[in-house]
Amino acid sequence: VNEVMILHEYTASGNCFKIRLTAALLGLPIERRQYDIMKGETRTAEFLDNINSNGRIPVLQVGDRFLPESNAACWYLAESSALIPADRFGRADMLRWMFFEQYNHEPNVATLRFWMGWVGEDNLSDAQRALVPVKQAAGHEALMIMNRQLADIALYAYTHVAEDSGLFALADYQAVQAWIQRVAALPGYVPLDS
Ligand SMILES: N[C@@H](CCC(=O)N[C@@H](CS)C(=O)NCC(=O)O)C(=O)O
């Protein structure tokens, strides 16, 4: 990778943190550009036209090309490093966990963190309020699966801050807790709020 890389991001987002953590663990330099998602800064015509038509961060800019979707960006950074298994089944299994993260984990654990910690419980719409117990149950199910079998950077991002919503207790998932400590001890590790 020798083109300049710019991460369009919002620091507190776990999806953005995945990319920073991958880059840090691999010693790859990335520039960072901040957008306040609470002020709709990823929804401007300029952002939609030039950065991501889906109106969301993170977006990894590589030279003059733009790559949205956190796990795609992690994959790009990790290509031909030890973070991606050499054997075919291992690579597919890694993708399996990344898809699991986006379907079973992130829409529950991350969304509840955002609703409770950023939007605020009092400001939730009726539709959102009705979904809280549904997402909490689905989030517990995802954490339970991870407690039996682990996992990677994509899953670390929102798991290690799952308690932010006040709706999950990591003490209920001891293998997950131990894994969180192992990831945080990796050489090159950077914390989310850095
Ligand atoms: N599937 C996407 C999700 C991206 C996403 O949901 N981004 C949120 C922050 S974590 C965002 O930009 N929200 C602002 C908005 O939707 O306006 C990924 O993994 O990158």
Side-chain angles (χ1 to χ4, degrees):
V1 184
N2 41 28
E3 287 173 289
V4 172
M5 292 193 287
I6 302 169
L7 178 61
H8 299 265
E9 67 156 353
Y10 176 73
T11 297
S13 150
N15 285 321
C16 298
F17 173 55
K18 287 172 200 170
I19 300 170
R20 292 200 305 277
L21 181 55
T22 304
L25 293 175
L26 295 171
L28 298 171
I30 47 171
E31 293 173 24
R32 297 165 63 179
R33 219 158 276 170
Q34 302 295 322
Y35 298 81
D36 190 342
I37 59 172
M38 305 309 290
K39 293 195 179 128
E41 288 180 3
T42 60
R43 300 283 165 170
T44 63
E46 207 261 322
F47 188 95
L48 296 172
D49 286 349
N50 300 317
I51 300 176
N52 181 6
S53 55
N54 196 15
R56 290 176 168 83
I57 45 82
V59 176
L60 182 67
Q61 182 180 348
V62 182
D64 58 5
R65 292 181 296 176
F66 294 85
L67 188 60
E69 291 299 331
S70 56
N71 289 345
C74 288
W75 185 271
Y76 178 83
L77 293 176
E79 176 99 40
S80 57
S81 80
L83 291 179
I84 298 183
D87 90 289
R88 182 176 176 177
F89 189 88
R91 279 195 302 280
D93 202 38
M94 176 175 175
L95 285 177
R96 180 272 287 243
W97 282 113
M98 288 169 129
F99 295 141
F100 167 84
E101 190 263 346
Q102 288 284 298
Y103 186 84
N104 295 80
H105 190 290
E106 197 261 16
N108 302 308
V109 177
T111 299
L112 289 177
R113 172 175 179 257
F114 183 69
W115 285 359
M116 307 306 272
W118 275 257
V119 179
E121 197 170 1
D122 293 344
N123 304 318
L124 295 181
S125 67
D126 290 343
Q128 289 172 329
R129 204 181 307 279
L131 279 174
V132 168
V134 178
K135 286 183 176 291
Q136 189 179 13
H140 275 305
E141 220 171 285
L143 290 168
M144 207 110 76
I145 289 164
M146 288 178 64
N147 207 39
R148 280 187 234 113
Q149 200 187 354
L150 291 165
D152 67 4
I153 296 173
L155 279 155
Y156 177 81
Y158 283 111
T159 303
H160 85 300
V161 290
E163 292 185 343
D164 283 1
S165 66
L167 298 171
F168 302 105
L170 288 174
D172 294 344
Y173 306 96
Q174 296 208 344
V176 171
Q177 242 181 352
W179 165 74
I180 287 171
Q181 281 165 11
R182 290 199 299 277
V183 174
L186 287 174
Y189 177 84
V190 287
L192 187 152
D193 57 2
S194 65

